[in-house]
Amino acid sequence: MRKLKIKKSPGQKPKLPKGQYGFVIGNGTSRKDMDIKMLSEYGIIFACNWFFKKEFRPHVLIASDEPITKTILKVHETYSRRNWFYTWFPKPGTGAKKIPTPEKFAAGPSATFIAAHTYESPKIFLIGMDFFGFESPKDINQPENNGVMNNLYEGEKHYAKPPEDKEKVNGAPTFRNWQRRYQWIIKNFPQIEFYHVNPFEGKSPPRLVGFDNFHQITYENLLEHLENDADLLDIKEVTPDDKANAYAPNPDDERSVIERQLAGQENIIYEDVLTPQQVWDIRKGALAEQMKMGPVESKDAMLQLEIGQHIVMIPWLGYIENGHAKLPTEKMMRIAFKEEYKDRPIPQRFLQQQTPPTLVPPPPPKKKKLGGLPPPPSV
């Protein structure tokens, strides 16, 4: 395969050609011993978060969350002026570009979308995109159970710190939002072939395996393809259920729409399913419950909401001021609510509830010792 030549003038960003192979590098442990740098000779490397600091500068860096974005722009202030850096929180004058996904995606799906949409990569290889934690059952009906943290950067700034108690471990973030975001991407780019390279423990998300343009290959096969033009050999096994699950609607999409709406995030890919009045009633009821617990206790005891066929979590409604947790008054919350809905589009149809949503206590803690849990991934 012909090697890629990229032009770069001193002090300028490299001129990246479109239509090249895209290598999307996740930070799962499955790529620990791979020579990732050599891939830059054959295509565009899209990497996430601290990859540029811990390993080497990729062609395109992606960071989805605000805290790590702020650190990169402040501590490594010249990076985004000389390199391609995409984030949901670009600061004017820094050279950083806004991620072009319709809604806020996590870094991995964002990188994949940029490779497909912006750089028009005909083949996209997902490397170190492990999706699952250690000991994950990969159960399509239990996307919340994702096992133990599986990330090369565990302990780094803005990542979960290893618990001091050696008998405890960090839980892995749920794979359900990564899965549904990739499902949407693969559906919307049927002309692109997606390759999951060396899947962690041989597993890909169950709703992705059935796509005709989604494949599993070994890293050795990828190298043979790049260096000697060998055919890419798909090693996935597909059942009729896999294919049906891939192309069928994902119930997690509706659930996430509700969660995003309750958290005040805009829904663009799918319409809101709750009326503004329903959202207000739910938040008002949640505030009353959190007031009973107090600002500190309620911060770590999120309420569950049973609505339709879904059980969703209501986010903490408080805020931090001078290092102290506080809860808003109902008046403060109403002012913020009116501002939120001032320009929010109101869909014509809403999810009709047979019974009003009811707040229920959070579930009892699991017996397995999980400490230092990271925040849930961006949806």
Side-chain angles (χ1 to χ4, degrees):
M1 184 175 174
R2 181 180 298 179
K3 293 187 177 181
L4 183 66
K5 293 183 179 180
I6 295 178
K7 297 180 180 180
K8 187 179 188 305
S9 301
Q12 300 295 317
K13 295 180 180 181
K15 296 181 180 180
L16 303 178
K18 294 183 179 181
Q20 305 297 318
Y21 279 9
F23 302 105
V24 177
I25 313 301
N27 298 321
T29 57
S30 67
R31 71 166 178 85
K32 183 178 180 181
D33 298 318
M34 294 180 182
D35 182 5
I36 300 297
K37 194 168 187 178
M38 62 84 58
L39 298 176
S40 63
E41 299 179 356
Y42 298 97
I44 309 299
I45 291 185
F46 303 84
C48 306
N49 300 326
W50 288 133
F51 183 95
F52 81 102
K53 178 184 175 184
K54 304 298 291 185
E55 301 183 49
F56 62 90
R57 295 188 178 193
H59 295 118
V60 182
L61 180 70
I62 298 92
S64 177
D65 294 331
E66 189 170 15
I68 194 168
T69 294
K70 286 184 175 179
T71 299
I72 291 173
L73 295 179
K74 182 178 180 180
V75 180
H76 307 273
E77 58 181 347
T78 63
Y79 183 87
S80 55
R81 294 190 179 95
R82 300 177 180 179
N83 301 275
W84 294 104
F85 176 43
Y86 286 82
T87 172
W88 264 92
F89 306 95
K91 188 177 179 180
T94 62
K97 296 180 69 66
K98 189 171 183 178
I99 294 173
T101 53
E103 298 174 349
K104 188 175 183 293
F105 287 15
S110 294
T112 306
F113 181 86
I114 292 170
H117 173 267
T118 306
Y119 290 91
E120 301 173 2
S121 298
K123 296 183 187 297
I124 296 178
F125 300 89
L126 309 177
I127 302 172
M129 198 66 63
D130 289 355
F131 295 100
F132 304 100
F134 295 102
E135 304 173 16
S136 170
K138 197 199 77 167
D139 186 344
I140 193 171
N141 297 313
Q142 299 184 56
E144 303 291 353
N145 184 0
N146 209 24
V148 177
M149 178 68 77
N150 167 21
N151 196 296
L152 291 172
Y153 301 151
E154 182 180 12
E156 295 291 332
K157 188 177 180 65
H158 304 304
Y159 279 80
K161 303 297 181 183
E164 295 182 3
D165 186 344
K166 294 183 178 180
E167 294 185 1
K168 294 183 178 180
V169 293
N170 285 319
T174 171
F175 72 85
R176 73 180 183 93
N177 278 317
W178 293 332
Q179 175 178 246
R180 75 183 191 88
R181 291 308 196 188
Y182 270 101
Q183 190 177 22
W184 181 85
I185 291 171
I186 294 171
K187 280 184 177 179
N188 280 272
F189 293 94
Q191 76 281 13
I192 295 177
E193 302 295 324
F194 297 85
Y195 296 86
H196 196 188
V197 182
N198 267 27
F200 176 67
E201 297 181 350
K203 301 182 294 189
S204 296
R207 292 187 184 275
L208 304 188
V209 176
F211 281 109
D212 295 331
N213 58 329
F214 180 87
H215 317 278
Q216 294 178 334
I217 61 172
T218 66
Y219 189 63
E220 291 72 24
N221 181 215
L222 173 59
L223 296 184
E224 279 293 310
H225 173 71
L226 297 176
E227 297 174 347
N228 302 312
D229 292 321
D231 291 336
L232 293 170
L233 304 176
D234 197 341
I235 59 174
K236 74 175 183 179
E237 297 180 359
V238 183
T239 67
D241 284 344
D242 290 331
K243 188 168 288 291
N245 288 327
Y247 290 96
N250 186 343
D252 278 329
D253 287 329
E254 185 176 78
R255 174 183 169 186
S256 293
V257 164
I258 297 172
E259 291 175 332
R260 289 175 63 85
Q261 198 174 354
L262 292 178
Q265 295 177 313
E266 187 177 10
N267 283 310
I268 297 175
I269 294 177
Y270 305 100
E271 288 186 333
D272 288 349
V273 296
L274 298 176
T275 67
Q277 185 62 51
Q278 285 176 313
V279 175
W280 170 254
D281 289 343
I282 291 168
R283 289 186 188 169
K284 183 178 177 181
L287 180 62
E289 292 295 323
Q290 291 177 3
M291 285 287 191
K292 292 177 183 178
M293 290 183 277
V296 177
E297 290 76 9
S298 63
K299 189 174 184 294
D300 298 318
M302 296 178 73
L303 295 169
Q304 283 185 327
L305 178 70
E306 186 175 346
I307 180 168
Q309 62 176 334
H310 307 292
I311 295 180
V312 301
M313 304 297 287
I314 303 179
W316 183 56
L317 299 172
Y319 58 97
I320 303 297
E321 184 177 87
N322 297 325
H324 299 286
K326 294 186 176 182
L327 287 169
T329 63
E330 184 177 324
K331 181 179 179 181
M332 292 169 60
M333 194 168 70
R334 183 176 290 277
I335 293 173
F337 181 80
K338 287 183 176 181
E339 184 66 24
E340 176 188 331
Y341 272 86
K342 183 173 62 175
D343 299 316
R344 192 180 186 106
I346 306 298
Q348 296 298 314
R349 297 183 178 180
F350 295 93
L351 182 64
Q352 299 299 316
Q353 301 297 327
Q354 298 299 319
T355 56
T358 56
L359 296 174
V360 296
K366 297 179 179 179
K367 292 183 179 180
K368 189 169 184 177
K369 294 182 178 180
L370 297 176
L373 292 174
S378 302
V379 299

